[in-house]
Amino acid sequence: EFPTHSVDGEEEKMGKSNYVWVCDPVDGTAMFARGIRTATFSLALVLDGTPIVAVVNDVFSDKLYTAVYGEGAYCNGERIYVNDLPMIDKRSVGHYDMFPGSSFDLYPLVSEIGKSTYLVSIGSVVRACMSVANGGFIFAIFPGTLHKNCDIAAAYLIVTEAGGIVTDFNGNHQRYDQSINGAIVSNRVVYKEVLDLIKEKVDK
């Protein structure tokens, strides 16, 4: 359909264009391989570094998340929004990812932030980001860098269109047609608190 567009998949890349289809066909591969049903399919169309169309298919719960730039975020056709909860012990839930080879050590951060909110790691950052977008989680913290734009590109658009904030670990906007510098995916209430804790506790 779009022969001039390029593709940036987690497993392979094709072409070079300012229009890039960024795809993670199975986010949460380790969980999927073990029969834990949190894996998702993620696809974004990125124009000059910015996602403009996004789809996340949560096949195990039969939920299709979609967003078009400037038109809101949806789950199965119904509008979704981030929540407005602060970090209030067990009434709020946050997500973190840690994996071998990560450029960032999140242990000091997790130890500190876990004093203020309930923390989980479900094995799929895309699925966790959808929980931020639909008001379930207050944040998701992702330490990925090299070629990890494939994990966050679609989530960026869906979460921001749902009213949330997505930046790198320094609080900056980043391109999603190249490697990233971690990701803070958050509602607007706790974003600054999470960012400040990352700056304090995570060596970059």
Side-chain angles (χ1 to χ4, degrees), residues 151-162:
D151 298 82
I152 302 297
Y156 166 86
L157 185 60
I158 293 170
V159 170
T160 56
E161 287 292 324

Side-chain angles (χ1 to χ4, degrees), residues 139-196:
F139 63 75
I141 299 169
F142 181 62
T145 53
L146 185 62
H147 206 205
K148 292 300 184 179
N149 56 308
C150 295
D151 298 82
I152 302 297
Y156 166 86
L157 185 60
I158 293 170
V159 170
T160 56
E161 287 292 324
I165 300 176
V166 182
T167 70
D168 72 6
F169 272 14
N170 293 314
N172 300 320
H173 177 72
Q174 53 191 338
R175 297 181 66 103
Y176 292 95
D177 56 0
Q178 61 189 30
S179 294
I180 61 173
N181 188 40
I184 305 168
V185 180
S186 176
N187 72 18
R188 292 185 173 272
V189 175
V190 302
Y191 170 76
K192 181 64 165 51
E193 186 175 357
V194 172
L195 175 62
D196 288 346

Side-chain angles (χ1 to χ4, degrees), residues 12-27:
E12 61 181 316
K13 301 176 71 170
M14 295 175 287
K16 186 172 179 59
S17 170
N18 59 332
Y19 282 96
V20 186
W21 292 91
V22 179
C23 181
D24 189 349
V26 183
D27 181 71

